Each structure stands twice: as C-alpha cells, then as structure tokens.
Amino acid sequence: MISRVADHCFWLGRYIERAESTARLLQVTRALAFDAELPPLHCWRPLMIVSGQYPEFSGHFGADAAGNGDIVQRYMTWAEENPVSIRTSVRAAREGARSIREVLGHEIWQATNELYLWFAGEEAAASYVHDRDEVYRNVRRGTQLCLGLVRSTMLHDEPMDFLWLGVLLERIGQTTRILDMHHHIQGAAGSDGQQSLLQTALWLSLLRACSGFEAFMRRERGRVSREAAVSFLVFEARFPRSLRYCVRSALALARRLDLSGDKGAVTAARVRLDALDGWLDTQEPKDIPLTVHALLTHVVDEASIACQELQQGVEGATTVAARQKQEAAQ
C-alpha cells in the first residue's frame, strides 16, 4: 500500500466523521438554546470554544457575535474559511474520495459525491432557511451512509484500516469536545434549583449529541446524573462512541497496521494510544466528575498528537520508499 493512499484514507475518515460531529453539535445546541432557558451567549460561545475556532471567530465577528446563534450556525455550517465547518469537511471528504476512487469502490465514492453535490446545491441552501434541523439530519444520514458502505463494501485490509483509524481518532477528539461543553456551560445557572435543572438538561443534550441517549437510558433505567453520564460516555466499553471504546478500537487497528510491514508508519501513534488506554484504566476508579475537564483535555491532546505522529510516520515511509526506489534505479 503506497503512503499517498494511506494518507488519503486516513483523512477521508476524519473529514466524514468531522462533518457528522459538527452537524450533531449544532443540532443539539439548537435544542439546548430553546429548552434550557439560558442566555444565548452561554449556549453558543461554548460551541465555538470546544470547536477550537473561537479566537478566529471573535477576531472576525467580534466577541459579542458568539452569543448570536444565527451567526455561529452559519459560520460552523457554511464558512469556507472555517477549517471545521460542515462545508469544508464535506468538500475535503469528496476531494479525498475522488483521489482514491479505485481503492474505495464506486458505491462509497458515489455516496460521498452525492452528499457534496446536495450540500453545495440550492436544495440544502433553501432547506437551511426553512428547516435548519433537516439540513443537519441529512448531513448525518449522508455521512453515516458513507461510513456504513465503508464497513460493508470495502475489503477489510490496510486501506480500510487507515480510513477507520481516522474515523476513530477524529471521534475521540469530537466526543471529548462535545463532553467539554459541560465545563463551559455549567456556571450559567443561578440558584441551586436552576443549577440542578440545567445539569439534567445539559447531560441529556450531550448524550443526544453522542447518540447515546437511548443506550444510556436502558443501562441506567431512566436515572440521570452527572456521574452516570460521565461514566457512560467515557468508560462504557460497549458503546461505540465512548472514549474507551474508540481508544481501544483505534489501538487494535494501530497494532494490526504496525504488524503489516508498513515500515513503522504507525508505531509512534500505537505507542501513544497504548499509553492512553492504560491511563484511562487508572482514571475510572477516581472521582471523575470533579476532574472531567482535566481528563478530557488530556485525552484530546493525546489523540491530536497521535494523529500528528501517524501522519509524520506515513510521510516518513513515503520518503524511505522514494529513497529506496532511487537507490534501486541507480
């Protein structure tokens, strides 16, 4: 497998997952803004903070614009200059898929291209005006179709392993960012009664943002608490969007790729994921709700470094392969 293909597969997985996660977060924040009776700034500014775009956004629109839900949604949905907007992610996913059509297969390329054409066309723009939630639902359906086709039509070999490793590492980062919304919103309520109601509404919203609401309710039999929600979204090994599940699944893929003769392209990332998996095991017995922000910060930092190390490893493998090819030609 050539390194160019590995890189495109990895980033295709990341972009598809990023588009879905952004749509999830926008949809759930809209619901929270309507239901939680919070000032708009306390709903929309945390979204910009966890997305990592608050400095650029406030520099362009002004700090007060973070309280304007319409401006935030347009920026996170349509802005071409925003590297994590839905438009940017969908376009990048389509370009990546176009570059490796022969590896992905026709159905995956077609689904990715159709998502891009719909989102870039008049239908999505008109729907955004009249029913914004429907746009976000369609983005989620389109990205889920792409990922479902990946799992059900591609050979489960190195290209798919790199693609799904990108999905999982991006999901780790996005899940931690979604969970960290709690840290940035929790001080908004005044009285204890308001604080209790806010906590319940917020955790339910975050569970919905991770598509974990129904699974959580079945496990906890309808009882909602901060401790239970954190435990579920961080440590539940049976839930495919929990941090533990994603870290362990990514580690399994990295181990398999590391043994597949790819000249050590994923070794550094595998070592880091292995350490992160062990670190999560040590955190479960602790009083996580009191330190959840620190835990999430550590996880997102480690996942980000693992992505960088993997990309550097792939680029290094390309350099080695090119040098060997040149030496063989001489």
Side-chain angles (χ1 to χ4, degrees):
M1 179 181 178
I2 62 175
S3 300
R4 178 187 66 83
V5 173
D7 186 63
H8 280 303
C9 286
F10 178 71
W11 277 101
L12 174 60
R14 292 194 67 182
Y15 283 129
I16 293 175
E17 181 67 22
R18 185 176 298 174
E20 184 193 0
S21 294
T22 302
R24 286 171 181 274
L25 197 52
L26 285 165
Q27 195 172 10
V28 170
T29 304
R30 279 173 53 81
L32 187 66
F34 287 124
D35 298 340
E37 299 182 356
L38 286 170
L41 187 65
H42 291 297
C43 287
W44 294 106
R45 182 171 61 184
L47 186 151
M48 296 308 306
I49 292 172
V50 300
S51 72
Q53 296 305 305
Y54 182 67
E56 290 77 9
F57 175 85
S58 59
H60 185 70
F61 296 100
D64 292 341
N68 188 316
D70 189 60
I71 295 176
V72 171
Q73 288 172 78
R74 286 186 179 276
Y75 183 75
M76 293 298 294
T77 304
W78 302 106
E80 294 183 358
E81 69 274 16
N82 179 4
V84 298
S85 72
I86 296 175
R87 180 194 289 274
T88 301
S89 299
V90 168
R91 184 178 61 223
R94 188 248 194 179
E95 288 304 306
R98 185 178 59 83
S99 301
I100 51 172
R101 291 173 59 176
E102 70 284 356
V103 176
L104 298 175
H106 177 71
E107 289 184 274
I108 300 170
W109 155 246
Q110 186 178 42
T112 308
N113 190 46
E114 286 177 353
L115 173 62
Y116 167 78
L117 293 174
W118 169 80
F119 190 78
E122 295 180 359
E123 183 180 351
S127 183
Y128 182 83
V129 175
H130 302 293
D131 189 356
R132 210 162 289 181
D133 285 333
E134 183 62 20
V135 173
Y136 299 141
R137 279 193 292 270
N138 282 337
V139 170
R140 292 174 60 181
R141 292 190 195 106
T143 53
Q144 289 165 357
L145 172 61
C146 293
L147 294 181
L149 287 169
V150 166
R151 299 292 295 182
S152 60
T153 65
M154 282 187 74
L155 287 174
H156 285 222
D157 56 1
E158 286 186 352
M160 202 205 81
D161 284 349
F162 270 105
L163 194 156
W164 207 255
L165 185 56
V167 170
L168 291 169
L169 287 175
E170 184 69 26
R171 188 172 293 176
I172 291 168
Q174 294 295 337
T175 300
T176 54
R177 293 175 191 278
I178 289 172
L179 279 171
D180 212 28
M181 288 278 288
H182 175 273
H183 172 75
H184 298 285
I185 294 177
Q186 62 180 347
S191 66
D192 291 341
Q194 289 176 316
Q195 190 71 253
S196 177
L197 291 173
L198 172 64
Q199 291 286 341
T200 300
L202 179 55
W203 283 117
L204 290 177
S205 295
L206 297 182
L207 285 163
R208 290 189 179 97
C210 297
S211 291
F213 174 76
E214 293 178 351
F216 172 82
M217 286 299 187
R218 284 197 296 271
R219 195 189 80 162
E220 298 297 325
R221 300 181 181 179
R223 297 184 295 270
V224 181
S225 67
R226 181 176 63 174
E227 293 79 4
V230 171
S231 174
F232 181 82
L233 292 173
V234 176
F235 298 115
E236 177 53 76
R238 299 168 297 175
F239 179 58
R241 289 187 176 272
S242 76
L243 296 184
R244 168 164 283 160
Y245 179 95
C246 292
V247 169
R248 286 186 175 172
S249 298
L251 176 59
L253 285 176
R255 284 172 174 166
R256 188 160 71 194
L257 286 167
D258 207 24
L259 295 173
S260 64
D262 58 1
K263 303 179 179 64
V266 301
T267 301
R270 176 196 48 84
V271 171
R272 188 166 298 275
L273 288 170
D274 202 356
L276 180 58
D277 182 52
W279 182 81
L280 278 175
D281 287 339
T282 68
Q283 299 303 302
E284 186 170 9
K286 298 182 179 179
D287 191 7
I288 292 303
L290 298 179
T291 59
V292 66
H293 177 64
L295 182 147
L296 296 174
T297 300
H298 180 74
V299 171
V300 76
D301 288 346
E302 291 299 294
S304 177
I305 295 172
C307 288
Q308 295 171 13
E309 290 174 337
L310 192 145
Q311 190 165 14
Q312 291 169 359
V314 169
E315 291 172 353
T318 301
T319 302
V320 170
R323 185 169 61 247
Q324 290 176 342
K325 183 177 181 180
Q326 184 179 18
E327 290 174 353
Q330 293 173 348

